[in-house]
Amino acid sequence: QVQLEQSGAEVKKPGASVKVSCKASGYSFSSFDINWVRQATGQRPEWVGWLNPNNGNTGYAQKFQGRVSMTRDTSTSTAYMELNSLRSEDTAIYYCVRHSDFWTGSYNHDAFDVWGQGTLVTVSS
Amino acid sequence: DIQMTQSPSSLSASVGDRVTITCRADQFVRTFLNWYQHKSGSAPKLIIYAASTLQSGVPSRFSGSGSGTDFALTITNLQPEDFATYYCQQSSRSPHTFGQGTRLEI
């Protein structure tokens, strides 16, 4: 079945980097953008950025520009998100999600239709 | 960024009840509005896209309505598995922002 399998929990010190992986299965990896969304405890989900697995193009939320990098390995259908210069406010569950387009007859609507199980990243000294 | 506001923040209900959660955008988003269900310890799940279209496999007791800036998610005949947190998300303009969530509890 279609699924996204993420790497395990991480504990990092402030200033360090973290790299989270997301392995896709059950569908054509190159056919759907992968987005990353994070959610801190008690907060609403927050979009981090997107990756086009076909050509490697990326786009990041302004607040993460210069600190985040999204890459992929098409040979293993795996997407990666690396976040640098970690601070305590980056403590959150990070989800990779599949971005799908849904044609409703009038417009092309997009949504996140498949979610990974989440990776808890804890930043603490 | 487009701000999304849900109400109520939490809601108590019983099995068999009918509940409605509302979501308001501070800018016009037409029908570019999605709803997700999130159970603790699990990944969020897309239940409605394009404001009113049920995602495949989602029970018909879920329905969505609205357009422009005001939207609603209604669940009829609540089942035990429906108790979760629900989020709206606008997909009209990047970044695709989420509401703060509505926790539906017994």
Side-chain angles (χ1 to χ4, degrees), chain A residues 39 44 107 109-110 112 116, chain B residues 4 30-31 36 43 87 96 98:
Chain A
Q39 186 170 26
R44 67 186 69 198
Y107 299 95
H109 289 81
D110 54 324
F112 300 150
Chain B
M4 307 300 293
R30 202 178 299 273
T31 56
Y36 298 88
Y87 294 95
H96 293 174
F98 291 83

Side-chain angles (χ1 to χ4, degrees), chain B residues 3-15:
Chain B
Q3 300 301 312
M4 307 300 293
T5 303
Q6 291 180 230
S7 63
S9 294
S10 64
L11 178 58
S12 291
S14 301
V15 172

Side-chain angles (χ1 to χ4, degrees), chain A:
Chain A
Q1 82 258 29
V2 174
Q3 62 178 16
L4 299 172
E5 187 71 28
Q6 297 183 226
S7 49
E10 303 265 11
V11 179
K12 297 292 183 181
K13 293 196 182 304
S17 298
V18 69
K19 191 170 186 177
V20 181
S21 68
C22 170
K23 183 174 175 59
S25 60
Y27 73 98
S28 173
F29 177 63
S30 296
S31 298
F32 298 83
D33 286 357
I34 291 288
N35 285 235
W36 291 85
V37 174
R38 76 178 189 180
Q39 186 170 26
T41 301
Q43 302 298 310
R44 67 186 69 198
E46 178 179 34
W47 177 74
V48 179
W50 61 267
L51 164 76
N52 182 321
N54 186 46
N55 56 25
N57 287 350
T58 55
Y60 307 130
Q62 193 165 5
K63 71 178 288 185
F64 299 104
Q65 291 273 2
R67 223 167 46 98
V68 70
S69 175
M70 295 177 185
T71 56
R72 90 288 192 212
D73 180 346
T74 54
S75 69
T76 61
S77 299
T78 302
Y80 300 91
M81 183 208 65
E82 184 169 24
L83 189 61
N84 305 311
S85 303
L86 288 168
R87 32 207 189 231
S88 58
E89 310 89 86
D90 294 317
T91 294
I93 297 176
Y94 289 75
Y95 295 98
C96 62
V97 300
R98 189 179 80 166
H99 172 275
S100 282
D101 290 316
F102 298 91
W103 174 249
T104 60
S106 301
Y107 299 95
N108 210 21
H109 289 81
D110 54 324
F112 300 150
D113 69 335
V114 182
W115 292 63
Q117 83 275 20
T119 297
L120 175 61
V121 174
T122 303
V123 183
S124 174
S125 54

Side-chain angles (χ1 to χ4, degrees), chain B residues 27-87:
Chain B
Q27 299 177 40
F28 182 80
V29 298
R30 202 178 299 273
T31 56
F32 292 90
L33 192 286
N34 307 316
W35 289 97
Y36 298 88
Q37 176 192 67
H38 192 190
K39 297 180 184 178
S40 182
S42 298
K45 173 185 171 184
L46 174 67
I47 54 173
I48 286 173
Y49 62 89
S52 61
T53 305
L54 223 55
Q55 169 68 331
S56 175
V58 175
S60 59
R61 62 180 180 272
F62 290 88
S63 64
S65 62
S67 67
T69 61
D70 293 294
F71 303 88
L73 170 69
T74 299
I75 314 171
T76 57
N77 187 24
L78 269 174
Q79 296 300 297
E81 60 267 28
D82 300 336
F83 292 93
T85 299
Y86 292 85
Y87 294 95

